[in-house]
Amino acid sequence: MTLAAYPASPARRLVVTRESLLNGLFATMIFFGFFVFVEPAPYDLFAVIFMPIMLFAGFRLDRTLLALLIVLLVYNLGGFLSLMPYWHDPKSVTFTVLSLYLALLCVFMAVYFSRNPVERAELCLQAYTVSAVVVAISGIMGYFNVLGLYDTLTLYGRAKGTFKDPNVYGPYLALGALFLIQKLALNRTRRIFGTVALLMIILFGLLLSFSRGAWGAFVISSGLMISSGFLTAPDGKTRRRIVILTAVVIASVVAAIGLALLDQSTRDLLVSRASVTQSYDEGETGRFGSQLRSLDDLIETPNGYGPLRYAKHWGGDPHNSYVNAFASYGWIGGFSFFILAGLSLFIGFRLILSRSPVQHAAQVFFPCLLTSFLQAMQIDIDHWRHVFLFLAAVWGLESGRQSWLKAGKPAA
């Protein structure tokens, strides 16, 4: 039964007010996910307020969320054990504490999603999409030196917007793009041209990141969302809309690339970045070579190298979260990370292929989580705040789906 079924008593008004305040705080936190020029970022300040409020707003762990908590705590336990010889190193301590903070925030957000999952997932996606549009505009402005912001909003000639790195800025945009695509596919928007315009802004900003990982992640995640939506569509009319929408997305991507190619310097950088590997990836001492050589060493090092100590052994960061899990969190953390990824993928595929009230939201969140785990093989995603949001959403929606199955009624 929903709140609307009860009389407008003072108690009910209090519950409604508390829910509105909590949702407003959460949406504000998600919106500010784009602003990470400084640390702690505004996102973190709102998160510090959000977590204790959640404790008093109905913090409840079911079996699904308890499993998430246990895996994340064991993962971080490995990090603190690996940290023990390096308590004197402020960077290593900060890295480990930040990992624990993000893990706890992930659980709190998962609990938030697990109650009223349909409405809360929609709220999150709306706030995130607004954030993605804002950061895409900032990246475009920086790239074309609008208001002299080139040096502030780009790095190495690539758009980074309000992020520190184009390789984080690019993947951040994907969820917003997928949400807009789904709204078009499911006919959930009355402003079709406005939605397409926002989608074009995000896609153009994504292109200007010149991030191979971000490009690939968008192609894979959008393909998974569209294909899962097609397979689970309730009727032929929806399937036809999805096919037409796919053509619109492809046309939008082509148009974004066409706009970028009008500029000679952009064309040269696009051609350069389009290759599968770069010079710094290749060879025995390249990124991939160092990763492979480190594996033999890590097999014989149960406690890892220690947080942020990989570079002292191999001359640079691992750029691989699976390698870094063993290097910075030891065997305990390394195996925990693999378990976390495996369980999340199992839950996610079941969510997007099983009919439930949360299926549509899952078909947006999970593809982005999947591609994050894929990107983890070529970049460090350990502290990407939006990845922990994707993780929380998938596990929280699964918890909501389980509650719906047990109750035999929609998870409102």
Side-chain angles (χ1 to χ4, degrees):
M1 185 175 290
T2 63
L3 287 172
Y6 293 99
S9 64
R12 182 197 164 195
R13 286 197 295 270
L14 178 62
V15 172
V16 171
T17 300
R18 184 183 66 183
E19 179 78 1
S20 299
L21 290 173
L22 181 62
N23 289 343
L25 175 60
F26 181 77
T28 304
M29 179 180 74
I30 297 304
F31 170 75
F32 276 106
F34 77 90
F35 194 87
V36 290
F37 267 137
V38 294
E39 290 189 353
Y43 178 93
D44 301 312
L45 299 179
F46 283 107
V48 170
I49 301 172
F50 170 76
M51 286 191 283
I53 289 180
M54 271 299 300
L55 285 175
F56 297 101
F59 186 90
R60 186 177 66 234
L61 291 172
D62 59 12
R63 288 187 299 176
T64 300
L65 299 184
L66 183 61
L68 174 64
L69 175 63
I70 290 173
V71 174
L72 287 174
L73 287 181
V74 173
Y75 172 67
N76 279 274
L77 173 63
F80 276 95
L81 291 175
S82 186
L83 173 67
M84 290 180 66
Y86 307 105
W87 278 107
H88 62 279
D89 185 345
K91 291 184 177 180
S92 294
V93 173
T94 300
F95 177 89
T96 309
V97 171
L98 182 56
S99 295
L100 180 60
Y101 150 70
L102 289 172
L104 293 176
L105 177 59
C106 178
V107 175
F108 275 86
M109 290 192 295
V111 172
Y112 173 82
F113 280 113
S114 69
R115 303 188 65 181
N116 302 324
V118 177
E119 290 83 355
R120 289 178 172 182
E122 180 74 13
L123 174 68
C124 177
L125 289 168
Q126 290 175 353
Y128 192 103
T129 301
V130 174
S131 178
V133 171
V134 171
V135 76
I137 291 173
S138 73
I140 295 169
M141 289 177 64
Y143 187 83
F144 291 103
N145 199 27
V146 177
L147 303 177
L149 293 173
Y150 181 83
D151 291 335
T152 304
L153 301 176
T154 66
L155 182 67
Y156 307 129
R158 300 160 58 192
K160 69 177 182 66
T162 51
F163 284 85
K164 295 179 179 179
D165 190 326
N167 294 318
V168 185
Y169 155 83
Y172 181 84
L173 299 173
L175 185 75
L178 263 61
F179 180 56
L180 294 175
I181 292 171
Q182 188 186 70
K183 284 174 72 69
L184 292 167
L186 299 179
N187 196 23
R188 294 174 57 202
T189 176
R190 296 179 181 179
R191 300 177 177 86
I192 295 177
F193 293 107
T195 303
V196 171
L198 294 178
L199 177 60
M200 284 288 292
I201 290 172
I202 293 178
L203 292 180
F204 194 47
L206 173 62
L207 178 68
L208 295 181
S209 71
F210 295 99
S211 168
R212 295 164 296 161
W215 294 343
F218 171 73
V219 170
I220 294 172
S221 59
S222 59
L224 177 58
M225 186 193 72
I226 291 170
S227 59
S228 62
F230 183 87
L231 290 173
T232 59
D235 51 53
K237 182 179 179 180
T238 303
R239 289 192 178 91
R240 285 192 294 273
R241 283 188 63 86
I242 291 174
V243 171
I244 294 172
L245 191 276
T246 302
V248 171
V249 172
I250 294 174
S252 299
V253 172
V254 172
I257 294 174
L259 286 173
L261 291 177
L262 293 176
D263 180 72
Q264 179 64 45
S265 60
T266 303
R267 184 161 59 247
D268 294 341
L269 185 56
L270 186 61
V271 171
S272 172
R273 295 296 300 176
S275 60
V276 176
T277 61
Q278 300 290 309
S279 58
Y280 51 78
D281 295 325
E282 302 166 348
E284 185 177 350
T285 59
R287 171 166 48 172
F288 300 139
S290 295
Q291 291 171 3
L292 290 173
R293 289 187 295 126
S294 71
L295 294 180
D296 290 337
D297 199 27
L298 289 170
I299 289 174
E300 301 174 358
T301 314
N303 211 33
Y305 298 137
L308 293 183
R309 313 292 295 186
Y310 180 96
K312 297 184 180 299
H313 292 260
W314 302 100
D317 294 330
H319 297 298
N320 183 313
S321 291
Y322 299 95
V323 172
N324 190 51
F326 284 93
S328 293
Y329 302 82
W331 287 6
I332 293 177
F335 286 117
S336 297
F337 189 77
F338 272 89
I339 291 172
L340 177 65
L343 288 176
S344 299
L345 297 185
F346 172 77
I347 287 173
F349 276 111
R350 184 169 63 184
L351 269 172
I352 66 173
L353 297 175
S354 303
R355 294 194 185 280
S356 75
V358 300
Q359 184 181 44
H360 289 154
Q363 288 174 342
V364 178
F365 280 111
F366 175 63
C368 291
L369 179 62
L370 170 64
T371 53
S372 295
F373 280 126
L374 293 176
Q375 280 190 277
M377 292 187 285
Q378 54 91 31
I379 197 169
D380 301 311
I381 67 166
D382 311 54
H383 291 164
W384 287 13
R385 288 160 178 79
H386 56 277
V387 172
F388 284 89
L389 171 64
F390 303 159
L391 190 65
V394 168
W395 283 77
L397 292 177
E398 171 62 11
S399 175
R401 190 183 75 89
Q402 292 293 337
S403 297
W404 170 73
L405 288 173
K406 291 177 182 177
K409 60 183 179 181

